[in-house]
Amino acid sequence: MSLTLHYHPLPSFCWKSLIALYENATPFTPNNVDLTDPAERAALRALWPIGRFPVLRDEARGETVPESSVIIEYLDRHYPGTVRFLPDDPDQALATRLRDRFLDLYVHLQVQKIVGDRLRPAERKDPHGLAEARAQVHSSYAILDRQLAHGGWMMGERFSLADCAAAPSLFYGNKVEPIGADHRHLAAYFERLKARPSFTRVLVEAEPYFGFFPSEG
């Protein structure tokens, strides 16, 4: 099999790539990396010196592809399926990439800051940074709610790169900052996402690891 995804079932950015692979039933070999194992950590760094996942290795093309958004665009270009994650129209593709970046930067990474603060010892917590992250998440929810008033998927009728980004962002976001009834369009969209078979599969595979997600602290 040409493609190998080096990943772990719990981290949110890994979900983003998995959803794209599952959407088109793209054949790949999953390599579940244990970063607590020195040998496995070294092997990942040999592929991608930053040492973070997901990382896609394509033996057929001799390519190593890090970063979830780039992985999805790589799949769309070189292993296309029924679901195309970026539209052919350049302006629409740019709008899709922008929505992807918005979700990653203003929801996803802010949620990671909130979760990261939970993992810090009491003397190293960052109340100011935590408050900023929470405020950014709620502001982003409001913007997304307005953009989703049309119903459907993140960019309209077609499932896209932006929906792959939204699924983990909103799942973990809802755990730390619930979406709530005041963002009804976003809440309805999140329910549609959870019912999508590709995302359902990701959640089922991650479930054994949910105990590692830090509770409020």
Side-chain angles (χ1 to χ4, degrees):
M1 197 173 293
S2 172
L3 299 176
T4 299
L5 185 72
H6 303 271
Y7 81 116
H8 187 276
L10 185 61
S12 47
F13 279 111
C14 293
W15 290 12
K16 187 173 163 182
S17 298
L18 285 169
I19 290 167
L21 287 161
Y22 292 158
E23 276 292 321
N24 285 323
T26 304
F28 76 101
T29 299
N31 179 36
N32 187 341
V33 179
D34 179 3
L35 289 180
T36 66
D37 183 297
E40 293 190 27
R41 188 169 63 249
L44 181 65
R45 285 189 177 277
L47 280 173
W48 176 228
I50 295 296
R52 296 195 176 196
F53 33 52
V55 177
L56 184 73
R57 175 64 188 171
D58 183 354
E59 293 297 341
R61 302 188 73 254
E63 296 283 353
T64 298
V65 187
E67 301 300 323
S68 56
S69 296
V70 181
I71 288 171
I72 293 171
E73 188 158 353
Y74 181 88
L75 292 170
D76 206 44
R77 180 173 300 178
H78 297 293
Y79 296 89
T82 303
V83 177
R84 299 304 304 270
F85 299 105
L86 283 164
D88 292 328
D89 179 85
D91 291 335
Q92 292 179 9
L94 187 64
T96 302
R97 290 188 183 96
L98 174 59
R99 192 69 57 85
D100 168 71
R101 299 312 300 142
F102 180 92
L103 286 154
D104 278 0
L105 294 174
Y106 305 122
V107 181
H108 207 149
L109 291 182
Q110 305 309 310
V111 169
Q112 288 191 339
K113 289 179 183 178
I114 296 168
V115 174
D117 196 73
R118 292 180 177 185
L119 296 170
R120 291 179 175 180
E123 68 275 8
R124 296 187 62 190
K125 289 189 181 295
D126 178 14
H128 179 73
L130 182 61
E132 286 187 331
R134 290 187 186 278
Q136 181 65 80
V137 169
H138 283 284
S139 295
S140 299
Y141 283 174
I143 292 168
L144 291 168
D145 189 70
R146 291 193 295 271
Q147 292 171 336
L148 286 161
H150 56 74
W153 298 110
M154 187 59 68
M155 300 304 296
E157 295 182 1
R158 294 175 54 185
F159 194 88
S160 72
L161 166 67
D163 299 291
C164 296
S169 300
L170 296 179
F171 181 86
Y172 283 112
N174 192 53
K175 282 187 173 295
V176 298
E177 292 295 315
I179 293 169
D182 52 336
H183 299 127
R184 62 186 181 88
H185 301 303
L186 182 59
Y189 166 74
F190 183 44
E191 292 303 313
R192 292 192 294 276
L193 266 182
K194 289 191 292 184
R196 187 88 176 184
S198 59
F199 190 32
T200 300
R201 180 175 175 182
V202 167
L203 292 175
V204 169
E205 292 174 350
E207 189 173 2
Y209 301 92
F210 281 156
F212 294 104
F213 185 83
S215 59
E216 187 70 58

